[in-house]
């Protein structure tokens, strides 16, 4: 599939394809529940229509043909020539799937052609049309109704024509040439241009780059109809000479002929970078497309601004101390205060631009669930709460896969077959509730099903069977610990693998991915009642409220959402258990960690009577980290370690404090991991 | 300043600095600035020649000890010790040197290709050449190669750094 569009236009097209496909799918699923809703039918029709237009304009003929078939069907629905039923739903969904597949191929630069003729045939049959209507609408050309015999590929040609010197109406002849060619193809470039011809600014020589499905002989024949032409030269061109910036001349020609072509309008109003939103988008909200890179660049700059303003505030205070009462200093400080407020607001607004509603990923699930429930012959309904909850876009990207896996698990392993459910006295249709909500600095996403729950004994058996743990070790585990065994690599309690889940590689990768984002995942279950998976994710990756401490001349920052408390401990309280220092914390044993050893900062001298311990928690693990002193809590901007330094376990990043000092931001799960390694090594 | 393009092609400006007892040079186009030594925040679990990170006007950049990197003898930081802020493939980093002496204009012809005899402790990948001046030899380094090689050595040096630090502690 060749396209004669700029990279920018292609990018916009793909974005639009994504948007429209999603809107189409959602509308369709809604329509299944409300088959009489004509509003929905119109909406979906518009999606197909828009896509058809833009794909043909850019030369993606396969997508164009595909969407045209679907548009045809939808048109009939719209005009009440047909009534919506599940067959129609299924075939349209099939078409959507093919669209998605095509998109993936194209984005990957894969030129593989997809044969949509069988599909087109089936739709036509459903519509009750003759098969030949699978041809595209006359947007490009007035092709004869018979499909060309072989190879309907559009080919590029270079045509040069010399008009006889005796011809007095060269402009008219040229216009005639254009016109005839238009009927069998598309003029991509021409000298003279259409404007020139209108102004009668022509010579006797015409050169064109022309696209057509016709063969050379046919073009020759067509041109020879035009009188007063001396030389006609039609030459097939190698494909890659075409791609360029110029608008096909045929577009402008059609404008004059006033042919219907909404897609053309898209092109007209498309400046190289932007796109007219009102024509394309179905969504009612006003929005502007911005390159994520630009946003990121702005974010970086803003981050620097935040750092400087903190610095300025401090300097301002220093000045005040030095020059008490000086009016200039007072003014300066007032201005700094104002700057402070503005910067804070700016920063807040900017952070919001990075936020997207989770709806974006939640959207895919109704469809996925529908397919899965049909395949597995189970009845499941999906409830979604809090889809408008917003999350940093980076995080959203990363949790799409884990969530998908969890949902698949819920259907595969959780929800029972209708008969089984009946026997248990449950409703035949199982329910999965997917919800998202804000909670004190992070987002909580839960997936709750009312299925059969997880069987602790089975888990224990599997763990022993796969050699993960010995029988003895398993006996000693608490219920919570047994549940968490499912997060270990290689674990699965299914005898035969389900569609995607059940191969034993799922949950541990899910856990790893979530933890990479500084999130946590935990599971709760009740036999025959159901299972709930809870994901906790930080609201944003860029700024974090932290507790600053000192340790061996370093300043460390602990993200507050993982700090539960800070304790002032007396040496006498420390008990050594199996060569590890611990203290009692409200009945639990809390291990003490010495970062100076884990990080090899150098030996810490720990002979004081009392010292500070920062209690951190992660998922269900807790530890106490020994520090030298507490500084206080501060909002700091996370700066990643330089790309020249490989990722360091235990260090999330760095931050420049208002004082100019550099703090190391602690990565709690990383520290806990390092500590565990030490235990095994020591 | 260069008069003609041709001259620029023949000449090169290098920053001349000292590491331990030897004189080195680096292409000035790769050197952003020279700054005084300042508080370096250590980062755990990095190769031994990575000293840590510093705050350069709000930007956090890693600092390596060039003497350790090239396995030269390390004197304590002195009055003349400086940090050369350099550009490595788009990333900024700092390199600790014992002294920065001057900026020199040299003609490209005066740079002799390294021969294994002169190479000594410096691995030939980082070595661009030798400049033979009347009173001294300047070893011309390719700064880019010095620091990016560190990625590959990361794993190898990890273990080395652990033992080295342990030794230093005892």
């Amino acid at each position: 599939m060749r396209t004669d569009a700029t990279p920018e236009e292609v990018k916009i097209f793909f974005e639009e394809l994504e948007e429209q496909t999603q809107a189409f799918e959602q509308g369709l699923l809604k329509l299944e529940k409300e088959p009489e809703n004509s509003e929905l039918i119109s909406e979906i029709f518009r999606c197909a229509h828009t896509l058809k237009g833009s794909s043909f304009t850019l030369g993606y003929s396969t997508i164009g043909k595909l969407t045209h078939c679907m548009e045809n069907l939808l048109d009939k629905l719209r005009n009440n020539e047909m009534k919506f039923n599940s067959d129609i739903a299924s075939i349209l969904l099939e078409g959507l799937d093919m669209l998605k597949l095509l998109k993936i191929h194209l984005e990957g630069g894969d030129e593989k052609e997809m044969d949509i003729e069988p599909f087109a045939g089936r739709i036509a049959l459903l519509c009750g049309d003759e098969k030949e209507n699978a041809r595209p609408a006359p947007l490009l050309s007035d092709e004869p109704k018979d499909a060309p015999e072989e190879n309907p590929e559009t080919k590029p040609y270079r045509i040069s024509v010399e008009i006889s010197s005796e011809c007095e109406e060269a402009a008219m002849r040229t216009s005639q040439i254009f016109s005839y060619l238009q009927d069998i193809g598309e003029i991509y470039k021409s000298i003279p241009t259409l404007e020139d011809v209108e102004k009668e600014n022509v010579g006797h020589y015409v050169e064109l780059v022309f696209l057509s499905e016709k063969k050379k002989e046919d073009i020759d024949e067509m041109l020879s109809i035009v009188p007063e032409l001396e030389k006609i030269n039609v030459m097939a061109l190698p494909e890659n000479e075409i791609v360029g910036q110029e608008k096909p001349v045929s577009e402008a020609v059609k404008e004059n002929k006033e042919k219907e072509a909404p897609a053309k309008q898209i092109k007209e109003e498309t400046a190289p970078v932007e796109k007219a939103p009102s024509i394309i988008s179905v969504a009612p909200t006003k929005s502007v497309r911005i390159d994520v890179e630009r946003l990121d660049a702005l974010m970086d700059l803003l981050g620097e601004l935040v750092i400087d303003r903190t610095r300025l505030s401090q300097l301002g205070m220093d000045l005040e101390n030095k020059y008490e009462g000086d009016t200039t200093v007072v003014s300066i400080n007032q201005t700094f205060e104002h700057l402070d407020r503005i910067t804070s607001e700016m920063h807040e607004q900017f952070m919001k631009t990075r936020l997207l509603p989770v709806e974006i990923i939640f959207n895919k699930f109704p469809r996925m669930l529908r397919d899965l429930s049909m395949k597995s012959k189970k009845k499941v309904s999906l409830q979604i709460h809090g889809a408008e909850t917003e999350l940093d876009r980076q995080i959203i990207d990363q949790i799409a896969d884990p969530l998908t896996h969890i949902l698949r698990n819920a259907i595969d392993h959780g929800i029972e077959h209708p008969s089984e459910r009946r026997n248990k006295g449950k409703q035949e249709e199982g329910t999965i509730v997917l919800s998202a909500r804000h909670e004190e600095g992070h987002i909580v996403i839960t997936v709750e099903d009312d299925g059969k729950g997880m069987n602790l004994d089975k888990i224990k058996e599997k763990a022993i069977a796969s050699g993960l743990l010995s029988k003895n070790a398993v006996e000693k585990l608490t219920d919570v610990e047994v549940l968490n065994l499912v997060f270990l690599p290689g674990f699965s309690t299914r005898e035969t693998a389900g569609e995607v889940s059940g191969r034993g590689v799922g949950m541990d990768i899910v856990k790893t991915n979530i933890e990479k984002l500084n999130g946590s995942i935990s599971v709760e279950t009740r036999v025959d009642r159901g299972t709930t998976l809870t994901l906790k994710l930080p609201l944003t990756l860029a700024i974090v409220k932290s507790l600053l401490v000192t340790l061996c001349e370093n300043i460390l920052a602990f993200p507050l959402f993982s700090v539960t408390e800070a304790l002032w401990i007396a040496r006498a309280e420390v008990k050594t258990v199996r060569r590890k220092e611990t203290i009692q914390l409200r009945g639990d044993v809390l291990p003490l960690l010495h970062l100076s050893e884990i990080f090899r900062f150098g030996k810490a001298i720990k002979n004081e009577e009392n010292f500070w311990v920062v209690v951190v928690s992660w998922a269900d693990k807790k530890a106490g980290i020994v520090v030298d002193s507490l500084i206080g809590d501060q909002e700091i901007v996370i700066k990643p370690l330089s790309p020249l330094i490989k990722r360091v376990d235990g260090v999330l990043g760095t931050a420049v404090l208002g004082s100019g000092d550099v703090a190391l931001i602690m990565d709690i799960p990383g520290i806990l991991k390092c500590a565990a390694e030490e235990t095994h090594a020591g | 300043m260069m008069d003609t393009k041709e001259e620029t092609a023949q000449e090169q400006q290098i920053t001349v600095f000292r590491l331990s007892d030897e004189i080195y040079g680096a292409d000035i186009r790769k050197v952003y600035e020279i700054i005084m030594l300042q508080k370096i925040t250590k980062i755990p679990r990095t190769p031994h020649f990575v000293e840590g990170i510093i705050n350069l006007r709000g930007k956090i950049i890693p600092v390596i000890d060039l003497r350790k990197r090239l396995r030269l003898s390390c004197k304590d930081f002195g009055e003349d010790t400086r940090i050369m802020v350099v550009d490595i493939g788009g990333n900024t980093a700092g390199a600790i040197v014992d002294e920065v002496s001057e900026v020199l204009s040299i003609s490209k012809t005066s740079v002799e290709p390294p021969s294994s005899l002169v190479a000594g402790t410096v691995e030939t990948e980082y070595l661009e050449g030798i400049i033979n001046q009347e009173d001294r030899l300047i070893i011309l380094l390719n700064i880019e190669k010095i620091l990016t090689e560190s990625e590959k050595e990361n794993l190898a040096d990890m273990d080395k750094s652990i033992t080295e630090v342990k030794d230093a502690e005892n």
Side-chain angles (χ1 to χ4, degrees), chain A residues 87-327:
Chain A
D87 283 334
I88 294 184
S90 295
I91 203 168
L92 283 175
L93 284 174
E94 197 187 319
L96 268 180
D97 283 339
M98 289 177 77
L99 254 182
K100 290 183 194 167
L101 207 56
L102 269 172
K103 174 168 178 275
I104 295 175
H105 279 313
L106 284 176
E107 279 178 323
D110 190 348
E111 288 294 316
K112 187 161 78 167
E113 279 289 342
M114 200 183 259
D115 184 16
I116 59 159
E117 291 305 316
F119 176 79
R122 267 183 289 135
I123 272 203
L125 220 58
L126 208 62
C127 291
D129 290 343
E130 292 100 47
K131 190 184 181 241
E132 58 158 343
N133 276 343
R135 306 254 51 211
L139 200 62
L140 282 184
S141 57
D142 273 324
E143 284 181 47
K145 283 297 173 186
D146 313 316
E149 320 78 23
E150 76 320 83
N151 196 10
E153 273 280 320
T154 310
K155 296 182 277 284
Y157 293 94
R158 176 169 241 109
I159 302 180
S160 54
V161 177
E162 198 180 316
I163 304 178
S164 159
S165 41
E166 278 141 20
C167 169
E168 282 165 348
E169 295 286 310
M172 191 195 74
R173 290 288 167 232
T174 314
S175 173
Q176 225 176 345
I177 295 173
F178 281 12
S179 194
Y180 284 12
L181 285 175
Q182 264 310 111
D183 286 341
I184 55 169
E186 188 182 317
I187 299 176
Y188 188 77
K189 266 193 229 182
S190 72
I191 298 171
T193 63
L194 187 70
E195 289 88 69
D196 290 335
V197 172
E198 278 167 33
K199 294 188 197 136
E200 307 219 346
N201 188 8
V202 301
H204 286 256
Y205 208 63
V206 182
E207 221 180 282
L208 306 143
V209 174
F210 181 61
L211 313 165
S212 170
E213 293 182 0
K214 292 284 172 194
K215 292 183 282 188
K216 174 175 165 10
E217 299 82 69
D218 297 327
I219 304 179
D220 272 330
E221 215 182 287
M222 179 66 103
L223 285 173
S224 52
I225 299 177
V226 182
E228 292 186 297
L229 296 185
E230 290 257 325
K231 282 198 206 129
I232 301 176
N233 192 341
V234 179
M235 202 176 64
L237 280 176
E239 302 254 323
N240 50 17
E241 278 196 36
I242 298 297
V243 182
Q245 292 260 359
E246 294 165 37
K247 208 168 25 161
V249 170
S250 50
E251 301 288 292
V253 171
K254 261 181 249 123
E255 207 175 271
N256 296 342
K257 289 189 186 172
E258 275 168 38
K259 257 212 181 136
E260 178 254 35
K264 158 176 58 93
Q265 274 176 314
I266 299 166
K267 211 136 191 232
E268 313 274 285
E269 294 178 44
T270 301
V273 182
E274 298 171 317
K275 156 161 114 136
S278 49
I279 293 184
I280 311 297
S281 70
V282 178
T285 53
K286 252 196 155 105
S287 62
V288 176
R289 279 192 203 286
I290 302 183
D291 225 319
V292 180
E293 270 166 31
R294 283 190 208 180
L295 265 186
D296 284 342
L298 275 166
M299 280 300 310
D300 277 341
L301 284 173
L302 208 42
E304 309 264 343
L305 198 59
V306 167
I307 294 172
D308 279 342
R309 72 93 203 259
T310 319
R311 189 119 178 70
L312 278 176
S313 295
Q314 258 189 336
L315 287 171
M317 285 199 303
D318 291 342
L319 273 178
E320 222 181 280
N321 290 337
K322 227 176 168 186
Y323 302 106
E324 251 184 80
D326 183 313
T327 43

Side-chain angles (χ1 to χ4, degrees), chain A residues 532-560:
Chain A
T532 305
L533 273 137
T534 309
L535 277 75
K536 274 203 181 131
L537 300 160
L539 252 190
T540 159
L541 296 177
I543 252 194
V544 69
K545 254 212 174 111
S546 313
L547 174 64
L548 297 177
V549 304
T550 60
L551 181 62
C552 303
E553 294 172 5
N554 294 289
I555 302 183
L556 307 178
F558 288 92
L560 272 181

Side-chain angles (χ1 to χ4, degrees), chain A residues 304 307-308 553-555 598-603 639-649 651 654-657 660-664 674 677-678, chain B residues 39-46 50 52-55 57-63 88 91-93 147-148 150-152 154-155 158 162 165-166 169:
Chain A
E304 309 264 343
I307 294 172
D308 279 342
E553 294 172 5
N554 294 289
I555 302 183
I598 300 177
F599 283 165
R600 316 236 158 99
F601 277 155
K603 269 224 166 311
K639 284 188 172 273
L641 285 171
S642 163
L644 293 172
I645 300 183
K646 269 191 137 84
R647 187 187 154 90
V648 181
D649 270 335
V651 177
T654 60
V656 176
L657 305 174
D661 290 313
V662 174
L664 283 179
C674 291
E677 278 166 14
E678 290 284 309
Chain B
K39 175 145 196 281
I40 300 178
T41 303
K42 293 205 175 303
I43 306 186
R45 300 176 157 232
T46 46
V50 177
I53 46 179
I54 58 171
N55 166 16
R57 294 183 301 273
K59 203 164 167 192
I60 307 260
I61 61 170
V63 175
I88 312 290
N91 295 309
T92 313
L147 290 181
T148 47
S150 71
E151 287 274 70
K152 296 176 198 165
N154 233 347
L155 286 165
M158 280 287 219
I162 292 172
V165 172
K166 279 226 161 100
E169 281 178 354

Side-chain angles (χ1 to χ4, degrees), chain B:
Chain B
M1 291 300 116
M2 305 297 141
D3 297 324
T4 65
K5 264 201 171 158
E6 222 181 75
E7 273 189 22
T8 335
Q10 307 296 39
E11 296 212 0
Q12 197 187 351
Q13 289 198 303
I14 56 171
T15 308
V16 180
F17 54 95
R18 180 173 58 84
L19 293 176
S20 191
D21 293 324
E22 288 157 41
I23 313 286
Y24 290 80
D27 187 348
I28 202 178
R29 288 171 299 184
K30 294 287 171 193
V31 181
Y32 284 141
E33 57 187 293
I34 314 286
I35 57 177
M36 306 285 292
L37 258 191
Q38 60 185 81
K39 175 145 196 281
I40 300 178
T41 303
K42 293 205 175 303
I43 306 186
R45 300 176 157 232
T46 46
H48 70 293
F49 53 84
V50 177
E51 287 295 302
I53 46 179
I54 58 171
N55 166 16
L56 185 64
R57 294 183 301 273
K59 203 164 167 192
I60 307 260
I61 61 170
V63 175
I64 68 162
D65 188 328
L66 210 44
R67 307 159 311 164
K68 288 185 184 160
R69 178 74 185 118
L70 301 182
R71 291 173 240 253
L72 303 170
S73 64
C74 276
K75 299 193 181 135
D76 288 335
F77 294 156
E79 261 190 15
D80 297 324
T81 312
R82 296 286 183 272
I83 298 180
M84 259 183 10
V85 182
V86 295
D87 169 53
I88 312 290
N91 295 309
T92 313
I96 298 181
V97 301
D98 285 317
E99 185 188 346
V100 178
S101 50
E102 71 216 79
V103 172
L104 202 60
S105 275
I106 50 151
S107 67
K108 291 206 172 155
T109 48
S110 65
V111 181
E112 294 171 21
S115 77
S116 49
L117 285 173
V118 191
T121 52
V122 180
E123 306 195 17
T124 39
E125 284 193 46
Y126 329 134
L127 205 51
E128 288 231 336
I130 311 282
I131 300 160
N132 199 342
Q133 295 202 317
E134 260 174 62
D135 50 345
R136 60 184 177 172
L137 277 180
I138 305 179
I139 305 171
L140 196 56
L141 296 176
N142 184 337
I143 292 281
E144 295 248 16
K145 293 262 169 67
I146 289 183
L147 290 181
T148 47
E149 284 303 305
S150 71
E151 287 274 70
K152 296 176 198 165
E153 299 219 16
N154 233 347
L155 286 165
D157 274 359
M158 280 287 219
D159 291 289
K160 191 168 176 207
S161 70
I162 292 172
T163 41
E164 279 188 39
V165 172
K166 279 226 161 100
D167 290 331
E169 281 178 354
N170 303 337

Side-chain angles (χ1 to χ4, degrees), chain A residues 301-427:
Chain A
L301 284 173
L302 208 42
E304 309 264 343
L305 198 59
V306 167
I307 294 172
D308 279 342
R309 72 93 203 259
T310 319
R311 189 119 178 70
L312 278 176
S313 295
Q314 258 189 336
L315 287 171
M317 285 199 303
D318 291 342
L319 273 178
E320 222 181 280
N321 290 337
K322 227 176 168 186
Y323 302 106
E324 251 184 80
D326 183 313
T327 43
T328 318
V329 171
V330 173
S331 309
I332 288 186
N333 272 327
Q334 279 176 346
T335 315
F336 282 173
E337 259 181 58
H338 193 227
L339 189 65
D340 200 6
R341 282 201 300 278
I342 296 186
T343 321
S344 291
E345 264 193 61
M346 241 178 109
H347 198 90
E348 235 189 86
Q349 290 297 328
F350 252 95
M351 294 310 277
K352 289 198 185 149
T353 64
R354 285 187 63 92
L355 296 178
L356 289 173
V358 278
E359 194 180 13
I360 289 192
I361 27 171
F362 282 13
N363 271 349
K364 306 199 179 135
F365 295 140
R367 169 69 196 277
M368 183 182 94
L369 233 78
R370 178 191 185 273
D371 290 343
L372 280 176
S373 73
M374 288 185 75
K375 273 207 185 101
S376 60
K377 307 247 193 323
K378 295 180 182 171
K379 291 197 190 157
V380 194
S381 85
L382 177 68
Q383 280 179 27
I384 298 186
H385 300 305
E388 67 284 347
T389 311
E390 290 185 327
L391 205 47
D392 187 288
R393 58 174 77 219
Q394 252 180 294
I395 302 186
I396 285 195
D397 280 342
Q398 301 283 342
I399 59 169
D401 280 342
L403 271 180
T404 307
H405 190 87
I406 293 175
L407 275 168
R408 282 195 153 124
N409 266 356
I411 296 196
D412 266 3
H413 299 240
I415 306 284
E416 315 95 322
H417 283 284
S419 48
E420 204 182 321
R421 287 180 71 91
R422 238 181 301 131
N423 291 343
K424 288 184 186 174
K426 291 178 169 177
Q427 290 210 316

